[in-house]
Amino acid sequence: MKVLIVGSGGREHAIAWKVSKSPLVTEIFCAPGNPGIEEIAKCVEIDVGNIEKLVEFSREINIDLTIVGPEVPLVAGIVDAFKKEGLSIIGPSKKAAQLEGSKAFSKNFMEKYNIPSARYDEVVTYEEACLALDQYSYPVVIKADGLAAGKGVLICENRKEAEAGLKDILLDKVFGDAGNKVVIEEFLEGIETSILCFVDKGKIVPMVSSQDHKRIFDGDKGPNTGGMGTYSPNYVYTDAIARKVDETILQPTLKGIQDEAMDYVGILFIGLMITKEGPKVLEYNVRFGDPETQVVLPRLETDLVEIFQAMIKNELSNIDIKWNDKAAVCVVLASGGYPGSYEKGKKIAGMEQMDQDIIAFHSGTKTIDGDLTTNGGRVMGVTAIADSINSAKEKAYYNVEKISFDGKQYRKDIATV
Ligand code: AMP
Ligand code: GLY
């Protein structure tokens, strides 16, 4: 089988790494990929947004299965375009991808299917938004409706901050058309958990739990990032919580997808807040998480390609998906200045000194004149697997120290509970 992976980050590296272990697979392509992925796949220079070219490439090379990493092509309708050409692809249709592409759409969906979530208002004008604010206490959450590269969620401590955020989004259009609508939401307190799920027409199967650390600094301080590290399993995710999530969130979500006739054969990532009143949905993402995938897939024992093949035939209920009982920790190394502006092109040293069983999933790297250099805010994620979270953490940090580049920054408290 020939497999194409769309994307270029640590998530796609983790997917490629897992796919490369499948005996069903003869060749892996990645568009556009990165130097880490290049070691296991053939990277092709096609932008993730260039759906036409991706379809053309898949037809020319006879790709048997395409896996899409990032949300942008999914929301733009890559799955519809591939299916129209009879090409096999894992991901939701354009309509179903609205669960991530529009916060208002996903909140309406949750309300309609009684899925526990934060109370909210949907507004389109600044005046309407200011009126709605009267109904909320602080902190309050303000979300640009559309995709905003992970920057569209503001947690505002007081009315002044909230009004400033609303002005930025609705009047000054700092997120462009993604800010044509805004969702104002009650702030939920609790422990966040990421649950990625396999979904086909008849079944939703959760993967093992994980937790992302989104803020740039230790102790969850500073601005949000794409994710500075993850661990799996998440300590709050007990069997009792898992049962409750299945009953109150997963099954109603699948029912909603079916009732709305959404074509969803793909990965659904449910961001949860485990609150005192029980688990509530913060958001849906219609893809694998980054860097959640870097700790979840190393725990998957079953062949990922076999699972995807079953999903395409709507036979997810026939496959027994197995996980190991290990713990995984991923620490992200970022460029100095990230998530603000940062410099690229810093030489990365020490990769060869890492322990054999460590997996360094590349995100923002580039080879220049034979040297591996930094090429993004998040540079790579160092994943360690061990019998417990503590030993995985120790192993990950021991290896993180071996890698150096100018301006390297990372959180020292990933997986600290
Ligand atoms: P989202 O893009 O919707 O995942 O939001 C990004 C992050 O903002 C989440 O991972 C949470 O940390 C935080 N967040 C979003 N909605 C809420 C909420 N209602 N209450 C508390 N935190 C939230
Ligand atoms: N780790 C959060 C995300 O992938 O959106």
Side-chain angles (χ1 to χ4, degrees):
M1 265 181 88
K2 290 182 186 174
V3 174
L4 169 66
I5 298 163
V6 177
S8 64
R11 163 183 51 209
E12 289 75 19
H13 192 179
I15 297 169
W17 171 84
K18 185 66 190 166
V19 165
S20 74
K21 303 198 175 305
S22 170
L24 299 168
V25 173
T26 48
E27 258 183 301
I28 309 175
F29 297 86
C30 190
N34 66 40
I37 297 175
E38 183 100 62
E39 288 172 19
I40 46 177
K42 188 168 186 314
C43 294
V44 284
E45 264 186 55
I46 307 176
D47 189 80
V48 302
N50 196 341
I51 294 177
E52 216 172 294
K53 197 107 184 268
L54 289 167
V55 168
E56 197 184 296
F57 173 79
S58 302
R59 266 212 321 250
E60 249 169 44
I61 306 283
N62 289 320
I63 296 289
D64 298 291
L65 176 70
T66 295
I67 307 161
V68 186
E71 62 277 19
V72 171
L74 291 167
V75 171
I78 189 170
V79 168
D80 309 61
F82 268 63
K83 286 190 175 169
K84 205 167 127 211
E85 296 292 329
L87 295 162
S88 268
I89 186 164
I90 289 294
S93 65
K94 185 174 180 174
K95 177 177 165 189
Q98 288 299 296
L99 285 173
E100 175 165 4
S102 163
K103 304 272 188 205
F105 179 95
S106 77
K107 293 298 288 185
N108 294 338
F109 175 91
M110 288 182 237
E111 190 169 55
K112 182 164 176 192
Y113 292 95
N114 258 319
I115 294 161
S117 177
R119 181 167 65 86
Y120 76 105
D121 274 284
E122 177 187 329
V123 293
V124 289
T125 67
Y126 178 73
E127 291 69 28
E128 220 186 327
C130 288
L131 269 177
L133 266 188
D134 294 340
Q135 311 299 318
Y136 292 84
S137 54
Y138 293 90
V140 70
V141 185
I142 289 176
K143 299 182 173 180
D145 180 55
L147 293 184
K151 299 197 177 88
V153 175
L154 310 176
I155 298 182
C156 305
E157 296 298 332
N158 51 50
R159 177 135 193 149
K160 198 167 150 221
E161 259 181 56
E163 284 181 1
L166 289 167
K167 179 172 173 288
D168 284 348
I169 300 173
L170 287 166
L171 297 178
D172 300 341
K173 297 275 178 212
V174 293
F175 302 122
D177 284 348
N180 286 347
K181 252 188 224 167
V182 158
V183 167
I184 300 179
E185 230 178 74
E186 158 203 21
F187 179 80
L188 297 177
E189 262 177 86
I191 309 280
E192 273 191 70
T193 304
S194 299
I195 299 294
L196 317 184
C197 305
F198 297 108
V199 182
D200 72 5
K201 295 236 158 73
K203 183 121 177 142
I204 181 163
V205 180
M207 305 187 206
V208 287
S209 63
S210 58
Q211 185 179 7
D212 186 9
H213 297 67
K214 290 209 168 75
R215 306 288 194 102
I216 184 71
F217 300 127
D218 287 13
D220 286 334
K221 301 267 170 15
N224 261 334
T225 68
M228 292 299 290
T230 37
Y231 68 95
S232 172
N234 186 328
Y235 73 101
V236 293
Y237 208 69
T238 58
D239 288 349
I241 301 252
R243 276 195 299 275
K244 181 117 185 148
V245 167
D246 185 59
E247 181 197 325
T248 63
I249 295 169
L250 303 190
Q251 297 315 321
T253 296
L254 180 64
K255 183 177 185 309
I257 288 173
Q258 291 166 338
D259 286 5
E260 299 295 318
M262 290 177 185
D263 179 9
Y264 206 123
V265 176
I267 305 300
L268 179 66
F269 160 171
I270 309 184
L272 296 172
M273 189 69 94
I274 312 300
T275 73
K276 279 196 200 120
E277 293 139 39
K280 296 189 181 183
V281 177
L282 288 176
E283 57 157 357
Y284 290 117
N285 293 312
V286 295
R287 51 173 173 81
F288 279 106
D290 190 344
E292 283 88 343
T293 309
Q294 291 90 311
V295 290
V296 168
L297 288 187
R299 298 191 54 211
L300 177 61
E301 301 266 293
T302 311
D303 183 340
L304 182 62
V305 176
E306 244 179 71
I307 302 174
F308 288 155
Q309 281 184 322
M311 285 162 57
I312 284 170
K313 289 187 269 172
N314 287 308
E315 289 177 358
L316 198 46
S317 49
N318 294 349
I319 186 163
D320 185 20
I321 299 174
K322 292 208 160 56
W323 301 91
N324 64 41
D325 56 8
K326 304 267 182 203
V329 171
C330 173
V331 177
V332 170
L333 308 186
S335 297
Y338 175 77
S341 59
Y342 53 84
E343 289 176 16
K344 294 181 183 178
K346 309 290 181 196
K347 265 193 205 173
I348 302 170
M351 297 290 289
E352 67 295 340
Q353 286 167 34
M354 281 193 304
D355 294 337
Q356 286 296 310
D357 58 347
I358 291 290
I359 329 168
F361 291 121
H362 292 221
S363 21
T365 64
K366 187 175 182 180
T367 310
I368 300 178
D369 299 331
D371 289 324
L372 187 68
T373 64
T374 64
N375 191 44
R378 290 188 296 170
V379 175
M380 67 177 69
V382 174
T383 294
I385 324 286
D387 289 332
S388 70
I389 290 282
N390 273 342
S391 38
K393 188 172 128 187
E394 211 170 284
K395 246 167 98 172
Y397 278 109
Y398 176 71
N399 283 278
V400 156
E401 294 297 333
K402 298 182 183 183
I403 300 173
S404 59
F405 56 86
D406 248 15
K408 170 181 125 182
Q409 60 163 337
Y410 60 95
R411 275 181 63 159
K412 317 282 187 301
D413 64 346
I414 301 302
T416 303
V417 295

